[in-house]
Every structure is written in C-alpha cells, then in structure tokens.
Amino acid sequence: NPLIVVGIFAATSNLDQNQALFRHLSIISGANLQENEYYIEDCKSVSITWPFMPNLVVRYVHDLRSPDSYQIQKFDEFVMREHSTFYSEYFDSWDRIMDQHLGLWYSGYHNATCDLLHTILLQDNVSVAARIEPDALELYCGYNGPLVWEYQLEYTRCVGFHLSSFDTECACSPKNSLADFLHTHPNATTCQNYTLGDDDTLPANCI
C-alpha cells in the first residue's frame, strides 16, 4: 500500500488558550504533544501525534510575525464568543463553528473512557454538542481556537450521557437554529455590519 502522510495546521493567536484541548487529547486518545521553537523569533507551535497513527500530525502554530495575526486573534475571539453564547451543560451547545471539526474515532466499548470524557469536558466548561447514530455517540467539542474536535465513541451506552435527549441529525435540533435563538433572546443582535477587521468593541449581546 502507498504511504499516506497527513498534516493539519491550525493558526492560533495564543497557544495557552489551547491547553484544555492538549490535555484532553493526551488523556483520552494517548496523543503525544511536542512544543516546537523555531530559529525564527516569535514563532512557536505544538505538534500532536499518535503512536497508532504514525502518518498523521496536527500542529497548532502561533506566529506573531504574521501580517494576519490581528485577524487570527479576532477570529479566535469570535469562536470563543460563539461557544460561550450557545453553551449548555446538557451537551446541546450547537453553534455556527461546530461543523469545522476534526474527528477521532474510538473503536471499543469502555465505560471508564466515557465517564472520564464526560467529567473533564464539564470540568473545563467545554462547549459540547452531541448526537447519536445507531453505532456511535458523537461529541462535537468546541475548544478555544479554530478547530472543533469530534469524539466518536463506538457504542452508545455510555454512563453519564443522557442519550435519550440527543438528536440523530444536527439540523433536527431546534437549538441548532439561529432564528430559534433570536426568538428566545429578543435583546440579541447578529451584528450583521461587523467584520473581523473592525477595531470597535462588540456589544455584550452580539452573537
């Protein structure tokens, strides 16, 4: 079989904001994390690799020299605002970033893994949207930064998750609707005239 090497890069405005993600990936999936400092000043990254997927690397890069660093920061702020606005401890935190995800499939039935994942997601206030398939529980986890990470657990009988309350399709959830949110939050605004390049501070109720 031909060798396939896959690399995924994500720009971030601050590597510190991604620490919960790095810690969770290490605990849940056995990921190896390596901090990289380059000979170029003000450029750092963290590489994420897995011993059972030797040809895959995910790298978060923070480069202060980038001419787009301001836009990256504003986008990170937008992502955090989205996750915060639609956050729910019941794992139905659907927002407009959740489809920008990278999936990890866990092949095996292990309640300890399900319980641990449930615990650390709640402890770190990670915005999570869940749905179920006939053979899987799918958790879309809105960490800080540009990528959502999706954990797929092979079986759906995980203790701690209220599976009966989850939808089977993302679009079937009424909460996955901006119109529904605006209807229940009449003081909110979609900030249609705002762009990532603006210097103005967004109002607190802007979504």
Side-chain angles (χ1 to χ4, degrees):
N1 294 330
L3 177 65
I4 298 177
V5 179
V6 178
I8 300 171
F9 294 81
T12 180
S13 61
N14 185 350
L15 286 170
D16 290 338
Q17 72 177 0
N18 306 117
Q19 291 306 310
L21 166 65
F22 299 155
R23 185 171 65 257
H24 291 184
L25 289 177
S26 178
I27 294 172
I28 296 299
S29 70
N32 298 318
L33 306 174
Q34 179 180 345
E35 295 186 12
N36 309 296
E37 292 191 14
Y38 302 95
Y39 64 91
I40 303 175
E41 188 177 359
D42 295 328
C43 185
K44 298 180 180 181
S45 72
V46 171
S47 297
I48 308 169
T49 58
W50 292 264
F52 48 87
M53 294 186 290
N55 300 323
L56 172 66
V57 59
V58 179
R59 184 168 294 153
Y60 279 72
V61 181
H62 179 211
D63 186 359
L64 287 176
R65 305 169 306 110
S66 170
D68 296 322
S69 59
Y70 176 78
Q71 283 81 3
I72 293 172
Q73 177 185 346
K74 299 304 291 185
F75 183 73
D76 280 353
E77 292 173 358
F78 169 75
V79 169
M80 287 188 286
R81 189 167 59 251
E82 280 284 295
H83 294 332
S84 175
T85 298
F86 294 93
Y87 175 80
S88 167
E89 63 182 10
Y90 301 107
F91 289 4
D92 55 359
S93 307
W94 296 106
D95 63 48
R96 291 169 286 189
I97 308 298
M98 287 301 184
D99 258 343
Q100 310 298 322
H101 62 263
L102 181 64
L104 285 177
W105 173 263
Y106 176 73
S107 181
Y109 178 57
H110 200 332
N111 257 334
T113 299
C114 298
D115 292 345
L116 178 59
L117 182 57
H118 182 270
T119 299
I120 61 178
L121 289 172
L122 286 177
Q123 283 179 344
D124 288 324
N125 296 315
V126 178
S127 184
V128 180
R131 69 187 185 97
I132 55 174
E133 293 289 350
D135 62 342
L137 166 63
E138 301 180 359
L139 303 172
Y140 300 83
C141 301
Y143 295 98
N144 294 335
L147 282 179
V148 169
W149 286 72
E150 177 194 0
Y151 301 116
Q152 291 192 18
L153 305 173
E154 187 171 355
Y155 293 97
T156 59
R157 294 181 294 274
C158 290
V159 176
F161 292 96
H162 302 289
L163 300 177
S164 61
S165 65
F166 297 155
D167 295 293
T168 56
E169 293 295 338
C170 306
C172 292
S173 172
K175 291 194 174 182
N176 190 21
S177 168
L178 184 59
D180 180 77
F181 182 86
L182 290 174
H183 177 72
T184 56
H185 296 73
N187 294 324
T189 171
T190 57
C191 304
Q192 295 178 352
N193 296 325
Y194 176 78
T195 61
L196 290 179
D198 289 345
D199 293 326
D200 297 334
T201 302
L202 289 174
N205 63 347
C206 182
I207 55 172

